[in-house]
Amino acid sequence: MSRRTKEPPRGWQFWRRAFWTRPALLVLYGLLAGVLGLLALVDVPDGIRDAVAMRRAVECPAGTMRIEPDVDPPKGCLERIPVTLSGPWHSRGPGSGWHLMVVQDAEYVLFAETDVPTSGSRRLRDEAEAEALLWEGTPVAIELPAGDRVETEAWGHRGWLQTLFLGMFAASGLPMLFEAARLKRGTADGWWSVRGEKVGLMALSPLMGIACLLAIPSMLGLVPLMLGLRLQWVAVVALLGLGLVVFAVIRGGAVRARPGVEG
């Protein structure tokens, strides 16, 4: 009995033609990553201003406390809301999500959601009574009855640092995917061709050097940040990663500059 051979892909079956690896589409992916990273980085200055204002802010007057979550929050002060904790609802890598519930018409309703780093999430318990501190509607800390304060990922400088690292990581896709498109185009029949060699681990070219300068410090900085470690450790780990990448880029450039060595 002869073995049945697979029919060649038809024109409309783009998923069977390695459609996503076309050099033109790799360029498009890179542009999308760059735009997403840029949009995140644009928010960083506002995040820094909010962090400074948040850390200097006093609590809102008691008369401004909201009862219903749909009411506009007060501005420029820390709002204190008695809540009941519910969670953790999901584990988003390091850290967990928690729901802050309030009593309304003899029923518990969701007042706000927040993400808490791993170290802080371990100190919270489901159905525990607590008080939430909110900055312009965003939960930034949870105070337990014993006076223990658990900071969320939005507290202080953590918020804009996370935005910075995520923006840098997304922006690193722009030079990396451009380099992949260039290498793919060099062995393909055109910008819309699926032929050519597969793009795997790429050499440390100038474009890849830029990608590493953005991606590696941001990835390393996110780990201690999302674990809830002190910001000093976040800075040390991120700067260490940056230093290692700078050393690798400089050394790679020196190797390429030697006679008879191809980049």
Side-chain angles (χ1 to χ4, degrees):
M1 188 175 184
S2 61
R3 185 176 181 180
R4 183 178 178 181
T5 58
K6 181 182 285 189
E7 296 180 1
R10 299 178 183 179
W12 53 272
Q13 293 177 317
F14 57 84
W15 59 86
R16 294 182 57 190
R17 293 177 174 269
F19 179 79
W20 310 112
T21 63
R22 299 173 191 264
L25 290 178
L26 291 175
V27 171
L28 177 61
Y29 306 152
L31 289 174
L32 290 175
V35 169
L36 290 175
L38 180 61
L39 290 175
L41 294 175
V42 166
D43 288 337
V44 170
D46 288 338
I48 296 175
R49 285 191 290 268
D50 275 349
V52 174
M54 181 193 310
R55 294 178 65 88
R56 294 177 178 176
V58 297
E59 292 190 18
C60 301
T64 62
M65 187 182 74
R66 291 179 294 162
I67 300 175
E68 299 180 357
D70 296 334
V71 178
D72 292 336
K75 303 293 184 181
C77 57
L78 292 172
E79 184 182 18
R80 181 179 292 271
I81 304 291
V83 297
T84 299
L85 303 179
S86 177
W89 283 96
H90 68 276
S91 293
R92 188 181 40 76
S96 302
W98 290 82
H99 290 183
L100 308 180
M101 314 296 291
V102 295
V103 178
Q104 196 173 94
D105 297 330
E107 293 183 356
Y108 282 104
V109 297
L110 177 65
F111 190 87
E113 299 180 34
T114 187
D115 291 317
V116 181
T118 299
S119 58
S121 186
R122 290 173 178 169
R123 291 148 59 191
L124 303 180
R125 295 292 181 268
D126 188 30
E127 300 184 355
E129 301 293 329
E131 291 185 333
L133 293 177
L134 292 86
W135 170 258
E136 300 184 351
T138 301
V140 295
I142 299 171
E143 287 194 358
L144 302 175
D148 191 15
R149 174 180 286 195
V150 176
E151 298 172 355
T152 74
E153 292 183 1
W155 169 256
H157 296 289
R158 294 183 180 277
W160 70 263
L161 276 173
Q162 181 171 332
T163 302
L164 172 66
F165 290 146
L166 291 175
M168 289 173 57
F169 184 74
S172 70
L174 177 64
M176 181 177 65
L177 288 167
F178 273 23
E179 177 67 6
R182 186 186 71 83
L183 294 176
K184 187 76 173 180
R185 176 64 181 83
T187 58
D189 297 332
W191 285 102
W192 202 246
S193 173
V194 296
R195 298 182 180 180
E197 297 181 5
K198 293 182 178 180
V199 177
L201 186 62
M202 292 175 281
L204 195 61
S205 63
L207 282 176
M208 280 302 298
I210 296 173
C212 290
L213 284 170
L214 291 170
I216 293 178
S218 61
M219 286 190 299
L220 293 178
L222 275 172
V223 174
L225 184 66
M226 301 182 83
L227 287 174
L229 301 183
R230 293 183 179 273
L231 296 183
Q232 293 90 328
W233 286 109
V234 176
V236 168
V237 173
L239 290 175
L240 179 61
L242 179 62
L244 291 174
V245 175
V246 169
F247 174 77
V249 170
I250 293 175
R251 184 174 178 83
V255 170
R256 288 195 301 272
R258 292 175 185 173
V261 177
E262 296 183 357

